[in-house]
Amino acid sequence: MSGAALGLEIVFVFFLALFLLHRYGDFKKQHRLVIVGTLLAWYLCFLIVFILPLDVSTTIYNRCKHAAANSSPPEGSNMTGLYATATSVPSQHPCFKPWSYIPDGIMPIFWRVVYWTSQFLTWILLPFMQSYARSGGFSITGKIKTALIENAIYYGTYLLIFGAFLIYVAVNPHLHLEWNQLQTIGIAAANTWGLFLLVLLLGYGLVEIPRSYWNGAKRGYLLMKTYFKAAKLMTEKADAEETLEDVMEEVRKVNESIKYNHPLRKCVDTILKKCPIDYQEKMGRNMDDYEDFDEKHNTYPSEKSLVKLHKQVIYSVQRHRRTQVQWQILLEQAFYLEDVAKNETSATCQFVHTFQSPEPENRFIQYFYNPTVEWYWECLLRPWFYRILAVVLSIFSVIVVWSECTFFSTRPVLSLFAVFIQLAEKTYNYIYIEIACFLSIFFLSICVYSTVFRIRVFNYYYLASHHQTDAYSLLFSGMLFCRLTPPLCLNFLGLTHMDSSISHQNTQPTAYTSIMGSMKVLSFIADGFYIYYPMLVVILCIATYFSLGTRCLNLLGFQQFMGDNDMTSDLVDEGKELIRREKRKRQRQEEGENRRREWKERYGHTREDSTRNRNVHIDPKESNFSEMSTNRSTSKYTRANNRTERDRIELLQDAEPLDFNAETFTDDPLESESGRFYHETQMLL
């Protein structure tokens, strides 16, 4: 099993990153370099989180092996019993290899490749790809030029920060500038920035994740919040449609002014390909390809203005498509929550849906997740499951906050993470050590990464599920992950006292901390910032618990969901009315489809059978006349018998537009026959 666990986790993490990227990105429409860059960034960050517990268990085994080698009595001496008593732990618990033991020399190379690749992505490649993907240039050279100009200020800022650290080390007489120390300064600068952002995101996630599951057990709360989201999303949707209309109007003017033989016509064609199909058809019908561009003295747009227009088209089309998809998803969620509220009082214990799913469900799922099981899960079990999960996550959050405030204390050991790991280390229970480390770092990662997925900077950065995230947001998330993961792992090792700079013990460090180098080069960071800054997580948790950030945003004019606010109640009422309107619209559509389906089932087979019989028994010359007479007589008696019932149904429904297709709408046969008889009688007279 040596190295097998490492290989299995490498493969598993790759498919996990690929699955998440497929949920948020669009493999078919987005550029291949964007997909590969984001996948590589996510994969490396998730890999660090999953492999670090193996590094901890391997380090504990190496420490045990080293202690056993040092505690062995000298050859030829008679002090075996006394020596065994002095070193009781190794004698009582012999060192044995863990099932996931990684041979020496593999982990340092592995961490070095993973860390420096992630740093190259977050500081050089991904920022350049962001500007390249968002550029409106029409050529590769133009996009590269735009990306270089936009990143000049970005790179210059970080060079100034690195230069400040470099000057500090050069001026300090107690420090000698060497390559290893210079490398440590760069790592310290990157981790300092990441730790600053890590504490902010962690303070939010430690409170918001347990609270979200606790509120998830409240059906009324979820439904009200869904109505609130519907009102806000409708506003964003209308704004996206207006923006798209304005941009398409500019594209139409450019398309009409620049004709087929203009030098910039290729640029216009490139812009048209990014427009929606219906707009492309409208603009194509109004285009006159036989008119030369120099026949009229018009002012034509420049290439720079077309680049700007191209960028606006890409952004507006993507935003419009995203709001449309999110609106449909939110409607399904609102309808389902309303169905749950109705079925809670059901006496049959059968879950009934208002609308059937448009996609056919799997038979296996239908057999086990039948309406009875669905009713018990949605109406009874799910609320209690969410409450229990919220309590468990709250306990984890309290443990994290306590450990963040006390991890610097080594005597006595106050950090609960360090207590758990040290108890397992005494018995060399490697399975427990790996599970405890994995659950701890996994919870910290969920608190941080989920906040990255939730935050939204206007419409500039926004991770939307169902393949609706743009290239810029995907690359930006990859940059955040690469910057947050190394300080997150260092913080976890500090909480467990596996970092020698925190525990102040002369023990063998983990392979991960050996790659980071000794932070004693910058003592004010290692002994000051890294120890005392994480304590601010307490203040951030308190602010999140009382929703201070939400209240501040609400005062600034950004509507946030707050139960004790008049604006929130108004938006909830507005969203409720929007959901009702969409529900009535869908009900009318389904009723119309059901009527057409019933009509085809009733009379479609009769018409086919009668046509088939006439083709067999009747002369082909008389087939057309027989078919017309049969259809006329059938429709006459059928419509006459069902006309009263049809009128009663139509009066109870909302007015619908008439369909003037020949198969679905005809005049009443009785009225047409009586009118023709009256006309013939008048002619005979």
Side-chain angles (χ1 to χ4, degrees):
M1 292 297 291
S2 179
L6 179 63
L8 291 176
E9 291 199 0
I10 289 175
V11 176
F12 172 76
V13 172
F14 175 78
F15 286 103
L16 176 62
L18 188 65
F19 169 76
L20 291 176
L21 183 59
H22 177 264
R23 176 177 174 80
Y24 287 89
D26 192 346
F27 292 169
K28 296 181 180 179
K29 296 182 179 180
Q30 289 172 343
H31 199 277
R32 293 291 180 266
L33 293 178
V34 174
I35 297 297
V36 173
T38 307
L39 176 62
L40 184 59
W42 289 15
Y43 173 61
L44 293 178
C45 295
F46 296 162
L47 197 61
I48 296 175
V49 173
F50 277 81
I51 301 299
L52 191 61
L54 303 184
D55 189 7
V56 172
S57 62
T58 302
T59 303
I60 292 176
Y61 167 73
N62 291 331
R63 290 179 180 179
C64 174
K65 185 172 62 174
H66 181 72
N70 294 333
S71 62
S72 59
E75 296 182 359
S77 63
N78 296 324
M79 299 177 62
T80 306
L82 179 62
Y83 208 92
T85 305
T87 58
S88 59
V89 174
S91 62
Q92 293 178 1
H93 303 283
C95 300
F96 58 90
K97 289 185 179 180
W99 70 279
S100 58
Y101 175 74
I102 300 173
D104 296 337
I106 294 180
M107 288 307 299
I109 298 175
F110 177 80
W111 287 130
R112 188 175 288 109
V113 172
V114 170
Y115 177 77
W116 289 112
T117 303
S118 64
Q119 294 305 302
F120 173 76
L121 288 173
T122 186
W123 297 107
I124 298 177
L125 184 60
L126 293 184
F128 181 82
M129 291 179 62
Q130 270 187 312
S131 302
Y132 183 89
R134 202 174 181 86
S135 174
F138 299 100
S139 62
I140 298 177
T141 305
K143 291 184 177 181
I144 293 176
K145 182 180 178 181
T146 304
L148 290 175
I149 295 174
E150 290 183 357
N151 285 273
I153 301 176
Y154 175 82
Y155 292 125
T157 303
Y158 288 105
L159 285 176
L160 289 176
I161 297 175
F162 180 76
F165 282 105
L166 194 63
I167 293 172
Y168 171 79
V169 175
V171 172
N172 195 338
H174 300 286
L175 299 176
H176 300 283
L177 189 60
E178 297 178 358
W179 170 250
N180 292 333
Q181 295 175 348
L182 185 63
Q183 178 181 345
T184 303
I185 292 173
I187 295 175
N191 291 338
T192 301
W193 189 95
L195 184 63
F196 177 79
L197 185 61
L198 174 69
V199 174
L200 297 178
L201 301 180
L202 186 63
Y204 176 83
L206 288 174
V207 176
E208 192 61 30
I209 290 179
R211 183 163 58 184
S212 63
Y213 281 101
W214 182 265
N215 292 331
K218 304 175 183 178
R219 299 300 183 185
Y221 176 87
L222 287 180
L223 193 56
M224 299 289 283
K225 192 171 184 179
T226 304
Y227 291 151
F228 179 83
K229 290 181 179 179
K232 288 190 63 176
L233 186 58
M234 176 56 72
T235 304
E236 183 181 354
K237 180 170 171 286
D239 184 52
E241 292 175 353
E242 293 178 0
T243 303
L244 182 64
E245 289 288 343
D246 296 338
V247 174
M248 290 300 106
E249 180 65 22
E250 295 182 7
V251 174
R252 184 190 63 80
K253 294 178 181 179
V254 171
N255 183 48
E256 292 179 354
S257 62
I258 298 179
K259 301 304 178 181
Y260 73 100
N261 56 349
H262 195 280
L264 296 177
R265 184 62 206 180
K266 294 182 179 180
C267 300
V268 177
D269 294 337
T270 304
I271 295 175
L272 289 176
K273 291 179 182 179
K274 304 295 178 62
C275 299
I277 298 178
D278 52 349
Y279 287 100
Q280 294 182 19
E281 294 176 353
K282 292 179 182 178
M283 296 176 188
R285 289 194 298 265
N286 297 330
M287 182 177 176
D288 187 8
D289 289 339
Y290 297 98
E291 183 180 358
D292 295 337
F293 74 93
D294 55 353
E295 289 183 356
K296 296 181 180 180
H297 300 285
N298 296 329
T299 56
Y300 299 101
S302 61
E303 184 177 359
K304 186 177 181 180
S305 61
L306 291 180
V307 169
K308 183 179 178 181
L309 180 61
H310 187 203
K311 187 175 181 179
Q312 292 176 353
V313 168
I314 295 174
Y315 173 74
S316 60
V317 171
Q318 199 280 332
R319 184 188 175 196
H320 178 263
R321 182 172 64 250
R322 183 182 65 199
T323 53
Q324 295 291 336
V325 174
Q326 288 179 334
W327 177 250
Q328 296 299 325
I329 296 172
L330 189 62
L331 287 180
E332 296 294 336
Q333 182 181 358
F335 295 156
Y336 191 77
L337 290 175
E338 290 179 348
D339 291 341
V340 172
K342 292 180 181 178
N343 284 274
E344 285 181 348
T345 57
S346 175
T348 59
C349 298
Q350 297 282 333
F351 198 92
V352 180
H353 293 269
T354 303
F355 304 107
Q356 297 297 328
S357 177
E359 299 180 359
E361 296 183 357
N362 191 358
R363 294 182 178 180
F364 180 79
I365 298 177
Q366 289 181 349
Y367 179 77
F368 288 97
Y369 196 65
N370 51 46
T372 303
V373 176
E374 186 177 6
W375 186 88
Y376 278 101
W377 168 249
E378 293 293 341
C379 299
L380 294 180
L381 298 179
R382 183 191 281 256
W384 286 105
F385 174 76
Y386 276 13
R387 291 188 183 98
I388 295 173
L389 184 59
V391 172
V392 173
L393 293 176
S394 300
I395 295 174
F396 269 95
S397 298
V398 173
I399 293 175
V400 171
V401 173
W402 172 263
S403 300
E404 289 286 356
C405 296
T406 59
F407 73 94
F408 57 89
S409 177
T410 56
R411 292 182 182 180
V413 179
L414 298 178
S415 175
L416 296 180
F417 289 104
V419 171
F420 297 152
I421 298 300
Q422 290 179 5
L423 288 176
E425 185 178 358
K426 292 180 180 179
T427 58
Y428 298 98
N429 190 349
Y430 297 109
I431 299 295
Y432 172 80
I433 290 173
E434 292 175 0
I435 292 176
C437 290
F438 176 76
L439 291 178
S440 302
I441 194 172
F442 184 74
F443 178 72
L444 293 175
S445 303
I446 291 295
C447 293
V448 175
Y449 293 160
S450 63
T451 309
V452 174
F453 281 96
R454 289 185 181 186
I455 60 176
R456 177 176 179 180
V457 184
F458 303 105
N459 288 315
Y460 194 64
Y461 165 75
Y462 184 27
L463 283 176
S465 58
H466 298 83
H467 322 290
Q468 299 303 314
T469 306
D470 59 349
Y472 185 88
S473 298
L474 286 176
L475 295 171
F476 189 75
S477 65
M479 292 169 53
L480 284 180
F481 285 168
C482 291
R483 296 178 187 180
L484 291 171
T485 304
L488 173 66
C489 294
L490 282 179
N491 182 257
F492 165 74
L493 294 175
L495 295 177
T496 56
H497 289 183
M498 294 298 295
D499 190 354
S500 58
S501 62
I502 301 298
S503 60
H504 301 289
Q505 297 177 359
N506 189 14
T507 56
Q508 182 180 359
T510 60
Y512 188 81
T513 54
S514 64
I515 297 302
M516 293 295 171
S518 178
M519 295 300 172
K520 295 179 180 179
V521 178
L522 302 175
S523 58
F524 72 95
I525 293 180
D527 299 332
F529 184 79
Y530 283 173
I531 293 178
Y532 298 105
Y533 179 72
M535 296 182 184
L536 293 178
V537 73
V538 179
I539 300 176
L540 295 172
C541 288
I542 295 174
T544 306
Y545 180 79
F546 291 102
S547 303
L548 297 182
T550 302
R551 297 179 187 276
C552 292
L553 290 175
N554 200 22
L555 291 175
L556 294 175
F558 301 98
Q559 293 87 1
Q560 303 293 321
F561 183 76
M562 299 177 62
D564 55 349
N565 195 340
D566 295 335
M567 184 178 296
T568 300
S569 61
D570 294 339
L571 289 176
V572 167
D573 295 338
E574 181 182 351
K576 188 175 183 179
E577 184 61 31
L578 291 172
I579 297 299
R580 286 180 180 176
R581 188 183 307 169
E582 294 293 334
K583 192 172 186 179
R584 289 195 299 266
K585 185 187 297 183
R586 184 171 295 188
Q587 287 176 346
R588 290 197 297 267
Q589 291 177 356
E590 288 194 356
E591 289 173 358
E593 292 177 358
N594 292 333
R595 288 198 299 269
R596 286 191 292 270
R597 190 181 301 109
E598 292 177 357
W599 178 266
K600 289 181 180 180
E601 290 177 356
R602 287 184 180 181
Y603 308 112
H605 299 292
T606 306
R607 184 180 302 176
E608 293 177 0
D609 294 339
S610 61
T611 304
R612 189 181 301 109
N613 294 331
R614 284 194 300 273
N615 292 334
V616 174
H617 299 288
I618 299 178
D619 193 330
K621 295 181 180 179
E622 300 177 356
S623 60
N624 294 332
F625 177 78
S626 302
E627 183 179 358
M628 294 173 61
S629 60
T630 304
N631 292 337
R632 185 184 301 112
S633 60
T634 304
S635 60
K636 180 189 303 182
Y637 293 107
T638 304
R639 296 287 293 274
N641 294 333
N642 297 335
R643 184 176 180 183
T644 305
E645 182 180 359
R646 181 198 65 188
D647 293 339
R648 190 189 310 98
I649 294 174
E650 291 293 334
L651 287 174
L652 295 176
Q653 297 175 352
D654 295 336
E656 296 181 3
L658 297 178
D659 190 358
F660 293 95
N661 296 328
E663 296 181 357
T664 58
F665 178 80
T666 55
D667 293 333
D668 197 315
L670 292 177
E671 295 178 358
S672 60
E673 290 292 333
S674 61
R676 187 174 62 182
F677 178 77
Y678 176 77
H679 181 67
E680 292 177 354
T681 305
Q682 292 295 331
M683 291 182 64
L684 291 175
L685 295 176

